[in-house]
Amino acid sequence: MTLAFDPFFRDLNRLTAEVFGSARAPQTMAMDAYRAGDDYVVEFDLPGIDPESLEVSAEHNTLTVRAQRRERPAGEGDAEVSYLTAERPRGTFSRQLSLGSGLDVDKISADYTDGVLTVRLPVAERAKPRRIEIGHGGGRKVIEGATQ
C-alpha cells in the first residue's frame, strides 16, 4: 500500500497504464453466459457506466456490446486532477459474441441494473426440441427429443 503513494511508483504505474493499458484501444469487459430455460443469458460487469453510452446490436449472427467510461469531468473552478491511483479502466469497452443460428435475434432484450448489463437471447422456436413420430411396421412409436 505504501508503494501506491510513493511518487516514483505512482508515476511508473501511470506510465505503464498509458503504454500498455491504453484508453485508446477498446477494452474487454468481464462476462458470464448461461442458459436459463429457453433463453441464453449473458451478463456483463460495467459498473459506473453511463447508460446512455451503452450500445447493444445484433448483425450477421454477431452480438456487439459497447460502453464508455469517461474521464472525470472537470467542473468550473476545479483544480487539475492528480490521481494517487487510477485502477478503474476508462475509455471504450467492447465485446463481440458469435451467435448460433438457433437464436431468435428479433427478440433479444437488454437491461442495465446496478452496474450489470443483462442480455437475453431467446432460443428460436424452430431450434427447440420437439417430438418426432417414428413409424414401425404397422404401429407407431413416439420418441421424445432430449430437453436441456
Side-chain angles (χ1 to χ4, degrees):
M1 190 64 159
T2 307
L3 298 178
F5 295 106
D6 184 350
F8 172 74
F9 286 102
R10 183 182 67 221
D11 291 341
L12 183 62
N13 285 340
R14 182 184 50 79
L15 179 62
T16 303
E18 286 177 7
V19 173
F20 297 111
S22 174
R24 293 176 292 257
Q27 304 200 24
T28 61
M29 55 191 86
M31 74 170 201
D32 291 337
Y34 55 90
R35 184 165 180 171
D38 288 338
D39 290 345
Y40 286 95
V41 180
V42 185
E43 296 174 332
F44 299 93
D45 281 346
L46 295 167
I49 299 294
D50 178 9
E52 295 295 319
S53 78
L54 288 172
E55 184 180 316
V56 179
S57 62
E59 184 178 6
H60 303 295
N61 289 344
T62 301
L63 178 75
T64 303
V65 177
R66 287 187 176 279
Q68 186 175 26
R69 182 180 295 127
R70 293 178 173 81
E71 294 290 330
R72 183 185 173 279
E76 289 183 30
D78 280 354
E80 184 178 327
V81 174
S82 177
Y83 284 99
L84 297 175
T85 185
E87 297 177 349
R88 299 179 341 149
R90 288 163 178 77
T92 302
F93 299 83
S94 180
R95 189 88 186 240
Q96 289 189 320
L97 303 174
S98 294
L99 304 178
S101 60
L103 298 173
D104 192 346
V105 180
D106 294 330
K107 294 185 180 176
I108 293 175
S109 62
D111 178 67
Y112 181 67
T113 304
D114 298 331
V116 177
L117 174 66
T118 303
V119 179
R120 292 192 165 276
L121 306 144
V123 175
E125 286 297 321
R126 68 183 186 282
K128 291 180 182 176
R130 60 190 177 282
R131 285 184 176 187
I132 300 172
E133 285 192 37
I134 301 174
H136 180 69
R140 293 189 170 252
K141 182 178 180 181
V142 176
I143 297 177
E144 293 188 24
T147 58
Q148 297 179 356

